[in-house]
Amino acid sequence: MILHGDLDAFYAGVAQRDDASLRGKPLVVAGASRRAVVLTASYEARPFGILSAMPLYQAKSRCPELVVVPPDFAKYRQASQALFAILHEHASAVEGLSLDEAFCELGDATVAEALDAGRKIKDAVKEAVALSISIGIASGKMVAKIASDDAKPDGLRAVAPGTEAEYLKDKPIRRLWGIGPKTEERVRAKGLERIGQIAELSDDVLYELFGRWGAELRDLARGIDHRGVNDSEAVRSISSEETFEHDVAGIAGLLPFVRSQADQLAERLKQRMLRASTVAVKIKLSDRTIIGRQTSLAQPTDDPRIINAAARFCLRRAALHRPVRLIGVRVASLAPAGARQIALFS
Amino acid sequence: MKFQCDAKAIAGAVTAASKVVNAHTTVPILNNVLVSAQGDRVSVRATDLELTLENAVGAEIQEEGSCTVPARLFTQYLANLPVAAKLQMQGTSTRATLKCERSNYEFYTLPADEYPPLPEGQKGVHFRVDAKEFRDASSAVTFAASGEEARGAVLMGTLLELDGSDLTMVATDGYRLARRHVALAEPVTSPSKLIVPARGLGEVVRVPSDGVMEATVIGGQANQLVFQAGDVRISARLVDGQYPNYQQVIPKEFDKKVIASTAQLLASLRRAGVVAGDRASMVKLAMDGSSLVITASSDTAGNAYEELDVERSGDPLTIAFNAKFLVEILNHIESETVALEFVGALNPAAIHPAGNGASDRQLYILMPLRQ
């Protein structure tokens, strides 16, 4: 069984945890600049239609009493380390997706045993970092992740083996892995709206709609997903991306995302005992053109500050002329963490 | 413009200047070299606006003037002329005609008056230095500069500190530092600090001229340092910014010292580095008694062990370094013996030619690896 865990409204949750006066209030975590965007919205802010990456002024106009809290990356890192330590205690392998999200391999556990592990993880996380986590359990990664999304906030949900297709059947196709907004539009135009409809497509129609990738997509729609949890496989690069609900104009609004992605990547490098000598950014503009920039480092690193600085450098060099739809940071040229070069200037 | 000159000589000048031409430039005229005939010399100039190279050769001038010729075309044409041939060149704002023996070519040109002018501005700091000394010092120092664009142009440059009759050149990438002093041909009137990009000094190192090199800062908007030696002129845009306070990272005192044969140490480190390859290139130096033991190991390659007889003073010490950094530094030490000085396993180490006062002239500081 595979378990997917994801902290609830992570950044906002940390703020509400540390300041009782913020609990129960609509709140967002965002930078201080004039063009700041929402990094995370609390559950209280979501009914107002406030989403990640929305410009802050827009979020405020939707909810005048909105509380804005600056990010505190040191706290996020601390909570993330505690979370991963707990996950490692309960799983034979852990694959981190970001600071607050991971897949865990539970081996041959039964549904009851997996649910028990899930409850223990939830309790341990509450105890260690006083945050709530939502957990999904299934035979495959995708269904586990969909189940944890469904369980949010503070939920626990297992999909028994054999019932995956039934579980997915009525969900919108957008929730299938690999269906982006563009594909969704195209597929919906053919009258396909539910995952169950994809599961029943014939080979010919699949090929026409999705090309060679069609058969794999139908398997996913049927809940067949054999991808395992990779924690130690030889990785060549690690990346973290974010697609915005609202395009972000200008570099200033992108920097908090780059910063948080650099933190995530540094964390994942440390978990895998790796260091990177190349840092790259990927930018998708509002017209869907993709720009990539990369830079080499003299010393392999797992330091979030160095990754952040290098990514910012790449971003500045990209000379953006349109609003940005997606920003991603990638680290590559990975080598096992060895002795660390001491710097001359501290 | 009309002149006749030795084909091989102008081929050398065009090739030397063309190096700076950036094939990806979006400004068409920057693909060209500017050829100017004046007095008894023809000069060839190329620029990418950051760095400008100009070489001159002797010629018989029939009509003074200038024209611009596409660098790539011109270099390839000249490279294929017969040896010892004479070249006759005539140029206007639209055409350049080149005659050599029985061949006759016409290249399309761009108007010379559209070529970027030489940097202008108030002349600032000026210094004179022996050209060979300056070349040697540049190559002994610039390799230590950073190649990491993300850390900024300052660390990618070399610091030139002028004070009285002394020029101090410093380069560092944040992990190692190189410093060398050069005596100026005459004292400067006031102290100053300049940061010269590595590319600029890289060109200076290739200037064959002996004798004295002149260097002048053209201030203001231009902010360039212009080197002139013989028939070569190089001008590089200076880097704006604050150079790190390098003096504070050079320890005042060391209490452990090893003197070794430069050649033996270098050979041992190169061999050990082969094994160290995949592990941050780490070599360990263990000093005890009158020996220096170098070890390296890797999970995939195996183990290395090297033992050298050395002169030694101070307590025993084991310290780890990146083998590549050590080798690069030793490659620039020309004396037969080299001195390595230490404080502790996590403190900066000094490496310099052995001998009294040698560290004052040429000094390297290297940070160890934390194991």
Side-chain angles (χ1 to χ4, degrees), chain A residues 298-299 317 340-342 344, chain B residues 148-149 174-175 367-368 370:
Chain A
Q299 295 292 328
R317 214 170 46 174
R340 195 181 288 275
Q341 176 68 52
I342 306 174
L344 262 175
Chain B
E148 206 175 328
E149 287 180 300
Y175 307 105
M367 290 307 286
R370 188 192 299 274

Side-chain angles (χ1 to χ4, degrees), chain B residues 7-242:
Chain B
K8 192 162 174 252
I10 192 167
V14 173
T15 309
S18 303
K19 267 185 307 201
V20 79
V21 174
N22 177 355
H24 304 294
T25 179
T26 51
V27 185
I29 203 155
L30 296 184
N31 284 308
N32 288 14
V33 293
L34 176 73
V35 182
S36 309
Q38 197 173 23
D40 59 353
R41 307 196 78 68
V42 168
S43 67
V44 181
R45 192 165 98 209
T47 183
D48 65 359
L49 303 179
E50 293 295 312
L51 184 63
T52 304
L53 305 179
E54 186 175 282
N55 286 255
V57 294
E60 289 168 39
I61 314 277
Q62 281 111 40
E63 189 192 329
E64 291 190 339
S66 42
C67 77
T68 77
V69 190
R72 199 158 152 263
L73 203 61
F74 202 13
T75 333
Q76 288 175 347
Y77 163 78
L78 290 168
N80 289 296
L81 288 182
V83 187
K86 285 278 175 201
L87 178 78
Q88 175 97 47
M89 180 166 180
Q90 198 169 354
T92 68
S93 62
T94 56
R95 297 274 195 283
T97 316
L98 297 124
K99 287 181 192 161
C100 181
E101 294 177 350
R102 297 174 69 184
S103 74
N104 193 347
Y105 283 73
E106 204 175 57
F107 292 147
Y108 303 128
T109 62
L110 291 170
D113 55 12
E114 286 177 17
Y115 204 79
L118 282 175
E120 276 177 50
Q122 201 176 3
K123 285 192 181 171
V125 185
H126 172 84
F127 64 91
R128 288 157 51 83
V129 62
D130 180 82
K132 184 174 184 311
E133 272 274 304
F134 188 73
R135 264 203 312 268
D136 291 351
S138 296
S139 49
V141 165
T142 49
F143 77 92
S146 163
E148 206 175 328
E149 287 180 300
R151 298 186 71 192
V154 167
L155 287 187
M156 292 178 83
T158 296
L159 174 70
L160 271 54
E161 271 186 328
L162 298 146
D163 193 359
S165 302
D166 182 49
L167 164 63
T168 310
M169 300 180 73
V170 178
T172 179
D173 64 358
Y175 307 105
R176 53 170 174 188
L177 180 145
R179 187 194 74 191
R180 180 146 158 175
H181 293 288
V182 185
L184 293 172
E186 58 203 47
V188 288
T189 46
S190 60
S192 60
K193 295 180 182 184
L194 311 168
I195 306 172
V196 188
R199 279 177 71 217
L201 285 179
E203 290 304 323
V204 170
V205 166
R206 289 191 200 100
V207 174
S209 154
D210 288 323
V212 169
M213 171 173 277
E214 311 248 355
T216 311
V217 171
I218 307 291
Q221 201 70 353
N223 197 27
Q224 306 234 344
L225 181 59
V226 182
F227 296 98
Q228 171 96 47
D231 285 328
V232 183
R233 180 153 56 175
I234 296 164
S235 97
R237 188 185 297 279
L238 292 167
V239 179
D240 279 323
Q242 183 75 34

